[in-house]
Each structure stands twice: as C-alpha cells, then as structure tokens.
Amino acid sequence: LLEKMADVSLKEAALIVGVVAACYWNSLFCGFVFDDVSAILDNKDLHPSTPLKNLFQNDFWGTPMSEERSHKSYRPLTVLTFRLNYLFSELNAVYYHFLNLVFHVVVCVVFLKVCKLFLDNRSSVVASLLFAVHPIHTEAVTGVVGRAELLSSIFFLAAFLSYTKSKGPDNTIVWTPIAVTVFLVAVATLCKEQGITVVGICCVYEVFIAQGYTLPVLLDTAVQILRGKGSIPFSMLQTLLKLIVLMFSTLLLVVVRVQVIQSQLPVFTRFDNPAAVSPSPARQLTFNYLLPVNAWLLLNPSELCCDWTMGTIPLVESLLDVRNVATLTFFCFLGSLIVFSLRYPGESSKTVLMALCLIVLPFIPASNLFFPVGFVVAERVLYVPSMGFCILVAHGWKKLSNKSVLRKISWVCLAAVLLTHALKTLHRNWDWESEYTLFMSALKVNKNNAKLWNNVGHALENEKNFERALQFFIQATQVQPDDIGAHMNVGRTYKNLNKTKEAEESYMIAKSLMPQIIPGKKYAARVAPNHLNVYINLANLIRANESRLEEADQLYRQAISMRPDFKQAYISRGELLLKMNKPLKAKEAYLRALDLDRNNADLWYNLAIVYIELKDPTEALKNFNRALELNPTHKLALFNSALLMQESGDARLRPEAKERLLHYVKEEPQDANGYFNLGMLAMDDKKDMEAEAWMKKAIRLQPNFRSALFNLALLYSQTGKELMALPVLEDLLRYYPDHTKGLILKGDILMNQKKDIVGAKMCFEKILELDPTNVQGKHNLCVVYFEERDLIKAEKCLVETLALAPHEEYIQRHLNIVRSKIASLSATEQSSLPADGTATAEEKKNSFQNLKEVKNEQKTTQTTVDNSKGHSKNKKRTEKNNMDKETPKKSTKEIKDIEKKRVAALKRLEEIERILNGE
C-alpha cells in the first residue's frame, strides 16, 4: 500500500488529514444512533464470549444467515473491526467514531492516488478535497455502521491500484498484481457487497485506458473478424485472457456469496421499498426517477435525510408525471457523457469514462435493477459513486481554470463550494448526536415518512417520555394508516401509560392489517417477521386478565400456525402455560423453540424453570448448566442454579453454588439477593463471621430486606450475641410490624436475656393479635403470666393453649406444674419441684418451632415480547417470589437444621420450667 501511495506527498496527505479533522472532529461527540443500535449495541457477535466463527455465520446485524429475518448483508470483516473496538473500549462511542474518521482519511488519501492516474496533480487534490468534505458522506463517516462503506472503499481502491500494475513492458501480463487484485476484491466484498463491482472498473480500465481502445475501433475490429478479413490481434488476446481471469474470479465470488445467503433473498415489506412491490409501469418509472434524485443529492446536498423509505418519495405512476422530465434529462446527460468517453480518444474522454465507471458500477447493487433492496434512497451507498462525481467536477474545474477569462471565477467558485460543503458537513454531524436529534432533523426534510415519526417516538420512549412519544406514534398512523408497526407502537405506548383498553384497540387494528392466509401460498413471503409480534404483544396484554388466558393462548397458537418456525411465539406461549399451571405443555413449547435455536441460553434457562415446576431439580440443574455453557454471564441462570444447589442439601455442591453467587454479585453488584444467599451458604457451613458480613452487605443495599434482617438476628441469637440481635429485630419490626417469628425471637431474648417481662409480654400479645391460634406465642405468654405471679391467669392461658394443641404433652405438664403451685399456695405450703420436672426429648422437639427463615427469592424468567420498533427484541421480566412461609415438605438439609436447633430449644424450655417451678 505504501508503494501505491508513493506519489502522494507528505504535504498533500497532511492537507487531507487536516481538512477531514476540521470537518469531522465533532463526530467524536455523537452516540450510537439508528442502525448502530442493531449493529453495535444489540449485536452479540461483538462480545469476546461469542465464538469468532459466528462472525462468518451471521449477517451484519448478528442474525444467522439461515434465518428468514436475516437481511442477508454479509460483512464479517466489518463486524470484526467492531469487535476489536469492543475489545479495547467496549461500548464507548468515541473510539468507534474515531476509527471511522481514520478510515475516511485513508480512503481520501488512496483516492488521491487514484485521481493522479487520470488528472493532473492540482486537479487530483481538488477532487480529493471535495470528496473529503462532501456532506453526503456524513452518514457513512459519522454513522458507525457506515464503516462498511469505508472499509470496502479502501480495499476497492487498493484492488484497482493493484490492477493498474498488471501491464508489463511490451504489453506483457504481470500476474502478481492480478492475483493481489482478486484477493483485495474478496476482502472488499467481505466488508460490503458492492466491493465486487471494482472488477467491472478494472475491465473498463483494461480495455479503454490500458489498451487505449475506443468503441469505434472495437466495433471495426469485430466486424473485420466476423467477415473473415482479419484475426484477433495478440494484444487483444492478452486483454481477453486477463478479462477472463477477472470474470472467472468474480463469478466464483458470486457463487460463494449466493451459497452464503443460501439462495434466499431478504424479506422486505412494501413500507421499506414501495416501488419494489408496485405494478408496471409505476415500478419502472419510480426506479428510473430515483437515479436523478441520487444525482441531485450529489450535486446539491442541502437537504439530507437519514431515512428515505416509505412515503418519502411518492410513486411515479404515470407517464404524464412531471418528474419524468428529470429522469429524461438525467439519461440524456448521462448518455452524452458515455458517448463522448467511448467514441473519442484522448485524455479527457478517458478521465470522463473512469469517472462514469466509478459513479455507475458501484451504484448498481443499490439500483433495484437485479434484486430489490430495503430502501428507496440511502445516502451512504453514494460514498463510492461520489468519487466519480468528484473526478468529473475536478476535471470540469480544470477545463474552466485553464481559460484565462474564467480562471479567477473558477477559483472563487471552488473555494465557495469547498467551504460551504465543509460547513454543511460540520453542521450535519451534530444531527447524529442522538436518535432524537437525527430523526427530528429528518422530519424537517420529509414529513411524509411514517418511519421517521415512529423513530422520534422511539427516541422519546427510550427517555420514558411516553406522552410525547404517543403523539409521534399517532402521527405516524395518520401519515401511513396501513403501517402495522405504527399501530403496534401506539398500542405499546398506551400499555406503558396503563391504558389497556386503548392499547388493545390499537393492537386489534394492527392485527386487522395483517395479510390474510392464502391456501398454497407461503405466508412468510408476504409479511415482515417482526410484524407477527402483534400477536405476541396482544396476547401479552390480555393475559394480565386471568379470565382471558385461553384467549391469549389462542393468539400464540395463531402466530405459530402462520409461521411454524416463529421461535418467539413458542417462548411466550411457554411462559403463559406455566402461568396456567400446565408445565408439561410449557415444556413442549420450549423444546420446540430449542429445535429452532439450540444456542439460545434464555431458552435453556426457561426450560430449567419448567423442570423446577415439575419438581425435577436434577434436570433443572442440567438445563441451567447448559444455559451457562452458552452464556457464562447469564445472571439469572447463575443465581437460580446456585439456589438450587443450596437447597439440594448436598454439601458437595456448596462450593460451586458459592462460586456462582460470587460471579452473580460481580455482574449485579447492587442486588442484595446475591449477598443474602451468600450469607445463607455461610450459615450452612458454620462460617458465622462470613455470614454476618454478607448479611450486613445485603442490608446496606436494601435496608428493609426482611429475610436478611431476621436471619442476621437469628445468627446473633445462635452464637451467643443475643443483645446484638435486638437492634436488628427492632429494624425488622419497624418495617414489618407483623413479623411473627421476629416477635417470638425478640420476646424470647427480652425474657431470658434482659429479664424484661413487660417487653416480652408486649411481643407475645402482638403475636396473638395477629394470630390468636399461634401456639408458641400463646404458650410463651402463659410463661409471662406465671413470671408475673398471676397463677390463675397462667392456668387459664395454658388451658386455652392446650385446647389449641391437645397433643402437645409439654403444655399439659406445664399446666400440671401451675395447678400444683396453686394447690400448694392454697394449702399455705410450698411445693417442691417434681422429680421429673425437666422436659422429655419429645417435648423439647415440639416446644419451639424452628425459627430459621429461608427466603428463597427465586428469580423466574420467561421471555416476554412487546416489539414494535422494527426489530424483534426479547425483554426479560424478572419475578422475585419472596417465600417467607416454610414449605410443608422439609428437605434433608432442613431436617438437619431443625435437629441442630433442638439444643437451643432445650435450653429455653429448661429455663421456662425453672420459672414455672419457682426456682
């Protein structure tokens, strides 16, 4: 490359760098907007955890090429540069924009070298400067996804420069540059598809520039050969050989490209490119009219717009449409240039010919001539064609400046053009600062594009400004009443505003606009896959009503019947079936979705949740592990698999559970649940100080964390730090005054440690206010009455307690002690303690419930979709089920914990009996 740029002086390169920097410095302050969101922010192929091979299996947006929703844009080398950006700066937009700026400088410098093949030095600099400052390039340079144009252009120009070295002395063939050219063409094509068109430019260069033929000479030679009056000249045979090699290589690249897209064209709707689905002659007239529209943008880039789809340019439906005059004028001018360049020899005609090749050939893939594209006009695709335009302008300026009369005027005009273009570019860059500024600037140019109104609405929606967003979405439906996506956006916004009735009405309108099923015709071919989300969104809305779950299920089934490979429908239906308590059917839905996408970590996670519902923890853990194999940072899988291991009671799984929870809190450092469960694990392992530290951290993050507060108090109580437990219990009961277990523990500490009978009594009375049938609270209150020497009240209390739990022998024994005490006092004699005054083991077992409260805040996630932004995106809803109640069936681990608490219960019971017997 350095050899090819040898003729570019350091001064010229410095001038170009300075001009580009002056025009694009403010692009560094822009964010990720428009298509950047899908290509950068939402593209998992950028993440280091994604296998590198995925870049060569997925399209530019990270969608597998095999999927119908893929745009079939295969640009793995461009995505690779995004991935390198991510590796060094993750999602810091400054570095992405800076690299684009650098690539634009490189293109300008290489373009200068190309210009010097056909123009003099001064004109070449003029062409390069005009190219550097042209405002049409802001979409390619300031928009991050425009990097595909920049990279492709670098290798496009490099391939052409290499080919110019293929002619040796005496018109011999030098094969090395040709081989390099073929390689660079392949690289350019892997950056963006239009890179392959450089082969056509090489062919034109070989015939009309390198060999010096003109069209009349070629026609005359052909006629002579056909008449048998001559043979093909040797130089022409060599030219044919070179062209055959080039064309064969190109054909090979085309075959490979077709194989990559699996012989499928992308699915676009009439909203993306209305003319593509219009009947004749509107289709042909409109496509031809788009050519002068693009030419006008190059000539007068005063009104630029980021999106020219939908109703931006009305269809040309009649030959009487006045816009046909522009089409006719354009073709007359283009035709005259072609005739001039092909018919007449000379440097001027060669320059014009190469300029025309650079304008026309790279534009062909975007021209709708061979296949429909997903846009009407796109400024970024004019990046390479503008090179030819700049060469034409520079060549014309050279002709004018050589005339003494027009020399000064030509210089003034040139300076004015460069200055105004540079200022326009600088100003245009600010439009790309955010999505809101970008789409509002587009609405100033074009108010007939519903997509622009939708996109402004999306930008406001992202800022949670739903009221204003709704206004723009409604305007979109008025501009394009049959726009399904706009009605979906209105519905979603009404839902966000909690106006479910209006949301349902909007979704129903969108649903009514969907194409009807025609027997024998593939449904998917006539609708954008993301429009099918109207069924998902409507079902998600109505299933909030428990009485309409079957209706929601019917909508999911309808979507599946339209597209049996509609993965999202299976996912959403699986979630609904779980809600309907049909885990087996939910399992079937998720397995069907996994058949369509086995590399989706969320699906394996959801299936694990189903197995938890089916009481199959072993299979659940296997599926959690599968999700983590695919996505080691899957936060919900980390958290819930750790809980599953913890609840299994298997001590061998605790180290792995701890590792996953540590990984989880690293990913979610502000989630108190992670620290709480680390504390519970430490309590299980008898690591009291570690458990205390984790619990305190959870409480710092969430001061009202019910379970963390109680279990920290319980930990203090079990480790002889009862007085430290009291302030924790005070906090717990301030947030949750009806926390029964907290009241029991507090009362127990007040009575046995602080000898605060009044305080203990208040705790037990509060328990009975909340639950008059609470045996433990009532029994402890009886003990308080006895401590207060109110034996009659204590007796009555114990009788009532025994009625609540007639099988509890320790209550009967305590009642006997009290009655014996009453009898002794009435006989004015003291009674000694009975020999069997201590409780039996069975009494100890039943006297106090296990206080350890395990709050398994399970996070269950099924994927919910409410997509209407043009791309299908899955939004996870996390539900934290706070389970304060103890499960009826204890695990082995819980039974062991209960046994370990019996010792503490025994001590408390002995204290009570000492009180009752007067010791």
Side-chain angles (χ1 to χ4, degrees):
L1 187 60
L2 291 174
E3 289 180 4
K4 293 166 187 171
M5 293 169 56
D7 293 342
V8 177
S9 70
L10 187 62
K11 186 185 295 185
E12 292 168 341
L15 175 63
I16 289 172
V17 170
V19 168
V20 171
C23 289
Y24 285 100
W25 63 268
N26 57 339
S27 69
L28 300 179
F29 300 97
C30 298
F32 294 115
V33 297
F34 203 17
D35 289 339
D36 297 346
V37 175
S38 299
I40 309 295
L41 300 183
D42 297 337
N43 192 347
K44 292 182 180 179
D45 287 349
L46 271 63
H47 301 168
S49 58
T50 302
L52 204 58
K53 66 177 183 179
N54 283 25
L55 272 65
F56 297 90
Q57 295 173 347
N58 299 341
D59 67 12
F60 187 53
W61 317 98
T63 306
M65 294 292 288
S66 57
E67 292 192 12
E68 187 174 355
R69 63 191 177 94
S70 168
H71 283 202
K72 311 302 181 187
S73 46
Y74 188 65
R75 303 161 192 172
L77 296 186
T78 303
V79 179
L80 182 61
T81 66
F82 293 151
R83 186 170 172 132
L84 291 173
N85 262 127
Y86 188 92
L87 185 64
F88 290 104
S89 61
E90 293 196 350
L91 294 176
N92 188 332
V94 172
Y95 296 96
Y96 291 80
H97 288 293
F98 177 74
L99 198 55
N100 272 25
L101 193 151
V102 170
F103 286 144
H104 183 52
V105 168
V106 174
V107 173
C108 293
V109 173
V110 180
F111 176 57
L112 175 58
K113 169 63 180 172
V114 171
C115 290
K116 290 189 175 188
L117 297 175
F118 314 109
L119 296 169
D120 61 30
N121 196 60
R122 188 174 62 184
S123 301
S124 298
V125 173
V126 168
S128 185
L129 288 176
L130 181 58
F131 179 80
V133 303
H134 203 297
I136 202 73
H137 299 153
T138 50
E139 183 170 341
V141 181
T142 309
V144 178
V145 295
R147 186 177 299 177
E149 316 290 337
L150 306 176
L151 284 172
S152 180
S153 298
I154 291 172
F155 295 107
F156 179 102
L157 295 174
F160 176 69
L161 285 173
S162 176
Y163 187 80
T164 61
K165 307 292 184 182
S166 65
K167 182 180 177 181
D170 301 323
N171 207 23
T172 56
I173 300 175
V174 183
W175 290 106
T176 301
I178 294 177
V180 172
T181 297
V182 171
F183 172 75
L184 291 173
V185 169
V187 174
T189 306
L190 290 175
C191 294
K192 193 177 181 185
E193 297 79 359
Q194 71 182 29
I196 201 170
T197 59
V198 71
V199 173
I201 294 174
C202 291
C203 291
V204 173
Y205 173 83
E206 177 65 31
V207 174
F208 296 100
I209 311 298
Q211 301 301 326
Y213 296 119
T214 60
L215 190 59
V217 171
L218 290 175
L219 291 175
D220 184 59
T221 303
V223 170
Q224 294 295 329
I225 292 170
L226 290 174
R227 290 178 176 177
K229 295 182 179 180
S231 60
I232 301 177
F234 178 73
S235 61
M236 191 172 287
L237 286 173
Q238 285 189 309
T239 300
L240 283 173
L241 180 60
K242 291 170 74 174
L243 296 183
I244 288 170
V245 170
L246 274 181
M247 298 308 295
F248 179 78
S249 303
T250 305
L251 184 62
L252 188 62
L253 285 174
V254 170
V255 169
V256 172
R257 184 68 175 81
V258 170
Q259 289 297 314
V260 165
I261 67 172
Q262 300 183 3
S263 304
Q264 293 178 340
L265 289 175
V267 176
F268 296 115
T269 68
R270 60 190 177 86
F271 302 114
D272 297 316
N273 190 349
V277 294
S278 299
S280 297
R283 186 172 188 268
Q284 290 75 21
L285 290 175
T286 304
F287 282 155
N288 282 299
Y289 172 66
L290 294 180
L291 299 177
V293 169
N294 281 279
W296 181 249
L297 286 174
L298 288 174
L299 193 63
N300 179 30
S302 59
E303 293 188 336
L304 300 178
C305 180
C306 63
D307 194 314
W308 295 79
T309 56
M310 303 188 84
T312 304
I313 299 176
L315 295 174
V316 181
E317 299 180 297
S318 168
L319 290 170
L320 299 178
D321 193 311
V322 69
R323 289 174 293 175
N324 289 317
V325 175
T327 306
L328 188 62
T329 303
F330 170 79
F331 277 108
C332 288
F333 180 70
L334 181 65
S336 63
L337 287 178
I338 292 173
V339 170
F340 169 76
S341 61
L342 292 177
R343 184 171 182 179
Y344 301 104
E347 294 301 317
S348 182
S349 61
K350 291 179 180 180
T351 301
V352 172
L353 178 62
M354 292 311 300
L356 289 175
C357 286
L358 281 169
I359 292 173
V360 175
L361 295 179
F363 186 74
I364 286 176
S367 66
N368 289 282
L369 292 177
F370 299 106
F371 46 82
V373 293
F375 53 83
V376 178
V377 172
E379 293 164 13
R380 62 183 176 274
V381 303
L382 294 174
Y383 189 76
V384 176
S386 68
M387 295 178 185
F389 171 78
C390 292
I391 290 175
L392 275 181
V393 172
H395 182 59
W397 174 83
K398 174 188 171 184
K399 295 288 187 185
L400 292 175
S401 64
N402 285 339
K403 296 179 179 181
S404 57
V405 180
L406 300 175
R407 182 176 293 115
K408 288 184 179 180
I409 295 176
S410 66
W411 277 101
V412 171
C413 290
L414 175 65
V417 168
L418 291 176
L419 181 61
T420 54
H421 277 46
L423 291 175
K424 172 65 178 178
T425 298
L426 191 66
H427 181 265
R428 174 64 174 159
N429 288 333
W430 290 121
D431 291 340
W432 292 80
E433 184 177 11
S434 68
E435 293 210 319
Y436 179 77
T437 57
L438 178 64
F439 297 127
M440 286 300 291
S441 71
L443 281 176
K444 293 175 184 177
V445 176
N446 170 33
K447 290 181 169 59
N448 296 321
N449 186 341
K451 192 173 178 181
L452 292 175
W453 293 99
N454 279 321
N455 284 333
V456 175
H458 288 315
L460 292 168
E461 185 181 34
N462 291 335
E463 297 172 0
K464 307 299 180 185
N465 191 344
F466 298 122
E467 292 287 355
R468 280 199 68 203
L470 182 62
Q471 296 173 12
F472 282 89
F473 289 141
I474 291 175
Q475 182 62 35
T477 64
Q478 294 171 354
V479 171
Q480 189 89 36
D482 58 350
D483 181 6
I484 296 171
H487 290 287
M488 291 169 67
N489 292 337
V490 172
R492 186 185 61 257
T493 310
Y494 274 130
K495 181 184 177 183
N496 289 332
L497 292 169
N498 295 317
K499 298 181 179 181
T500 54
K501 182 181 177 182
E502 292 87 346
E504 185 173 347
E505 289 173 356
S506 297
Y507 283 141
M508 291 301 292
I509 293 173
K511 181 171 173 284
S512 68
L513 293 171
M514 295 289 285
Q516 299 302 307
I517 297 176
I518 301 173
K521 186 168 184 180
K522 190 177 180 183
Y523 183 84
R526 299 175 297 110
V527 66
N530 61 296
H531 283 171
L532 280 170
N533 284 319
V534 67
Y535 294 96
I536 306 297
N537 295 348
L538 182 56
N540 291 343
L541 179 71
I542 67 175
R543 77 182 193 189
N545 185 339
E546 295 289 336
S547 65
R548 301 181 71 183
L549 297 183
E550 288 293 345
E551 186 180 346
D553 190 32
Q554 178 61 35
L555 284 167
Y556 291 136
R557 291 201 301 265
Q558 189 174 354
I560 290 169
S561 69
M562 291 177 174
R563 282 184 63 98
D565 61 345
F566 191 15
K567 178 179 64 180
Q568 193 54 54
Y570 293 105
I571 294 172
S572 297
R573 185 167 184 247
E575 179 188 5
L576 176 67
L577 290 168
L578 272 180
K579 186 176 182 180
M580 296 170 71
N581 198 26
K582 297 179 180 179
L584 288 175
K585 287 189 175 181
K587 176 183 171 184
E588 291 177 9
Y590 286 131
L591 287 174
R592 183 70 184 89
L594 280 169
D595 288 340
L596 299 170
D597 183 6
R598 300 198 67 80
N599 293 321
N600 188 321
D602 291 334
L603 281 176
W604 291 102
Y605 171 81
N606 290 348
L607 189 58
I609 298 300
V610 172
Y611 279 114
I612 289 176
E613 294 292 323
L614 291 170
K615 313 298 182 189
D616 191 344
T618 303
E619 282 299 315
L621 189 56
K622 286 180 182 177
N623 285 281
F624 279 138
N625 291 341
R626 179 66 176 141
L628 290 171
E629 286 173 14
L630 293 168
N631 181 7
T633 61
H634 195 292
K635 290 178 281 194
L636 294 170
L638 285 168
F639 184 86
N640 284 299
S641 62
L643 285 190
L644 202 59
M645 292 175 178
Q646 184 181 359
E647 292 169 359
S648 70
D650 188 345
R652 294 170 300 178
L653 294 177
R654 285 182 197 161
E656 178 61 24
K658 182 178 180 180
E659 284 299 316
R660 293 189 182 187
L661 284 172
L662 287 171
H663 194 167
Y664 175 77
V665 296
K666 183 179 178 182
E667 295 290 328
E668 286 287 341
Q670 298 303 311
D671 187 358
N673 291 285
Y675 301 106
F676 167 73
N677 283 284
L678 279 167
M680 297 301 290
L681 269 177
M683 286 179 71
D684 290 341
D685 288 334
K686 301 302 179 186
K687 297 178 180 177
D688 298 332
M689 292 182 65
E690 185 181 331
E692 180 184 353
W694 289 125
M695 292 293 182
K696 284 182 175 178
K697 191 158 189 177
I699 293 166
R700 279 198 298 272
L701 288 171
Q702 188 178 330
N704 64 340
F705 197 152
R706 177 183 174 119
S707 296
L709 287 165
F710 178 79
N711 281 289
L712 179 58
L714 186 62
L715 177 66
Y716 285 142
S717 175
Q718 293 171 350
T719 54
K721 302 176 182 177
E722 288 88 349
L723 297 182
M724 292 179 68
L726 279 177
V728 180
L729 288 168
E730 292 291 347
D731 290 340
L732 172 67
L733 294 171
R734 185 172 70 254
Y735 291 116
Y736 307 101
D738 58 347
H739 196 289
T740 304
K741 293 179 182 179
L743 288 166
I744 290 174
L745 184 57
K746 181 182 176 183
D748 184 58
I749 294 173
L750 289 174
M751 186 166 64
N752 292 316
Q753 301 298 322
K754 298 201 72 175
K755 306 303 179 184
D756 182 358
I757 305 301
V758 176
K761 183 178 181 181
M762 291 173 63
C763 289
F764 299 138
E765 286 177 341
K766 176 68 174 177
I767 292 169
L768 294 178
E769 285 178 20
L770 298 169
D771 180 12
T773 63
N774 188 295
V775 174
Q776 187 176 1
K778 195 165 184 66
H779 173 265
N780 289 0
L781 184 61
C782 299
V783 175
V784 170
Y785 291 151
F786 186 86
E787 183 70 12
E788 291 176 339
R789 306 300 179 183
D790 192 341
L791 299 181
I792 301 302
K793 203 167 186 179
E795 179 190 23
K796 180 182 178 184
C797 177
L798 285 168
V799 169
E800 292 172 354
T801 307
L802 188 62
L804 292 174
H807 301 296
E808 298 291 352
E809 292 184 13
Y810 75 95
I811 300 176
Q812 181 64 60
R813 292 177 66 82
H814 293 171
L815 179 59
N816 292 339
I817 292 171
V818 172
R819 284 175 173 170
S820 174
K821 195 75 169 176
I822 292 172
S824 298
L825 288 174
S826 64
T828 65
E829 73 181 280
Q830 294 295 320
S831 173
S832 60
L833 265 174
D836 58 347
T838 57
T840 65
E842 188 62 28
E843 290 169 349
K844 296 164 190 171
K845 174 182 175 181
N846 297 315
S847 61
F848 281 86
Q849 297 175 15
N850 173 31
L851 287 176
K852 185 172 182 183
E853 176 181 309
V854 180
K855 182 181 179 186
N856 294 332
E857 303 200 7
Q858 299 272 15
K859 300 184 177 183
T860 59
T861 295
Q862 277 76 42
T863 312
T864 307
V865 169
D866 195 5
N867 302 326
S868 311
K869 292 190 179 183
H871 298 284
S872 180
K873 300 175 183 175
N874 299 340
K875 299 178 182 177
K876 300 187 189 73
R877 186 185 69 231
T878 301
E879 302 172 356
K880 298 180 180 178
N881 300 326
N882 300 335
M883 295 183 286
D884 275 336
K885 61 184 180 181
E886 297 179 22
T887 54
K889 183 178 179 180
K890 303 290 184 184
S891 68
T892 304
K893 169 178 162 296
E894 290 174 316
I895 292 170
K896 288 179 180 178
D897 286 339
I898 292 171
E899 293 291 342
K900 292 173 183 176
K901 302 303 177 294
R902 288 178 182 163
V903 177
L906 170 61
K907 290 179 181 177
R908 287 195 291 272
L909 186 57
E910 288 175 345
E911 178 67 24
I912 290 169
E913 292 197 340
R914 278 196 295 273
I915 293 170
L916 291 173
N917 286 284
E919 285 192 348

